[in-house]
Amino acid sequence: MTRLKYISGVVTLAYDSQKCKGCRKCMEVCPHGVFVVEERKARIVDRDRCMECGACSKNCATGAISVKAG
């Protein structure tokens, strides 16, 4: 399956690994597979896949993820 990408280098997605507890919610709700969880921490696979929908940040209980939706 081909993954969609948007304009390179412009996404507002920010991630703080220090706050991440590895709950996997970001991975579950992201429609474009931006995140994976490895060794109990999320990791951004490809920032340019992000369409800035905000699902990850809205579902992150620890505030490890922020994005300006839209």
Side-chain angles (χ1 to χ4, degrees):
M1 178 173 126
T2 302
R3 295 279 186 168
L4 296 177
K5 286 196 177 197
Y6 300 91
I7 300 170
S8 295
V10 298
V11 72
T12 61
L13 177 65
Y15 167 68
D16 183 347
S17 64
Q18 297 293 331
K19 293 181 180 179
C20 179
K21 302 295 181 196
C23 72
R24 305 174 63 92
K25 287 287 185 186
C26 57
M27 196 173 89
E28 293 170 12
V29 301
C30 180
H32 291 279
V34 173
F35 299 93
V36 295
V37 175
E38 299 172 336
E39 298 178 20
R40 299 173 58 193
K41 293 284 183 184
R43 181 174 63 83
I44 295 174
V45 176
D46 187 344
R47 185 177 305 277
D48 292 332
R49 289 184 194 169
C50 179
M51 66 179 194
E52 297 182 323
C53 69
C56 56
S57 63
K58 289 177 184 171
N59 286 280
C60 183
T62 63
I65 302 169
S66 65
V67 64
K68 293 181 184 172

